[in-house]
Amino acid sequence: MKDNKRIRIALTKGRLEKDTVALFEKAGYDVDQLRNKGRRLILEIPDSGIDVVLAKAADVITYVEHGVCDMGVVGKDTIDEHSGSFFEVCDLGFGRCKFALAVKKGDDFYAGFGVKTIATKYPNVTRRFFEAKGMDVDIVKIEGSVELAPLLGLSHGIVDIVETGTTLKENGLEVYEDVSAISARVIVNPVSMKLKKAAIEELVAKMEQYKGQ
Ligand code: PRP
């Protein structure tokens, strides 16, 4: 059985993890273990009642949904693609980027009448985007470097994450239309929210207070 007094929060390994650790530090938590973690995946914030789990983005959602982690920090991109039953309680403001429809520079995506093909790592986000327009598209799932698909002639466009725009630019592509904004979010398991309400609300309040500082 989990110790009911403790909260377990899953962080998305990598940049969101680093930004969250920096936020914890600003909020006054001892983050030494988190900074010097080696290959450890479960760490303790001393004298806080908080345990930190490091996981891949989609797994953060899985652990929070199953209630083995009470909370998580994950990108809106992963939330939008995977959905699930949890509360999204806070926008941390970092990890900002966007989903965009991109095409080869100068291409008019909506020209012509044929069904368009879109390559993406995010088929659910893509499907919803075009469904909202009432537009029928063929979606091809790609695992990475999606920019290749239009260059190789596999697709008319891509729906992908754009941060600086450098990857698109260096590969002769450009944003055709924005799809949605992305940033890091705090998610909470609904049962944990009931059973550990005070502790969770205290941590979320601290994160809200120190974000953007
Ligand atoms: C992401 C995304 C773009 C790139 C956008 O890829 O899929 O390729 O970052 O960033 P930019 O606008 O700053 O150039 P990621 O690095 O996650 O690798 P991947 O292509 O293997 O998914």
Side-chain angles (χ1 to χ4, degrees), residues 65-113:
E65 276 202 289
H66 283 79
V68 295
C69 291
D70 304 299
M71 308 170 64
V73 173
V74 67
K76 184 67 174 165
D77 50 325
T78 309
I79 293 174
D80 285 350
E81 182 60 22
H82 295 268
S83 63
S85 45
F86 48 79
F87 298 134
E88 187 185 313
V89 296
C90 174
D91 181 346
L92 293 173
F94 51 71
R96 273 191 199 286
C97 49
K98 65 183 178 184
F99 276 125
L101 167 63
V103 297
K104 280 199 279 185
K105 204 164 186 304
D107 276 6
D108 183 1
F109 180 77
Y110 293 117
F113 293 101

Side-chain angles (χ1 to χ4, degrees), residues 121 143-147 160-168:
K121 277 195 290 188
E143 295 301 327
S145 300
V146 180
E147 295 83 1
D160 198 19
I161 291 171
V162 178
E163 190 181 356
T164 61
T166 309
T167 311
L168 291 180

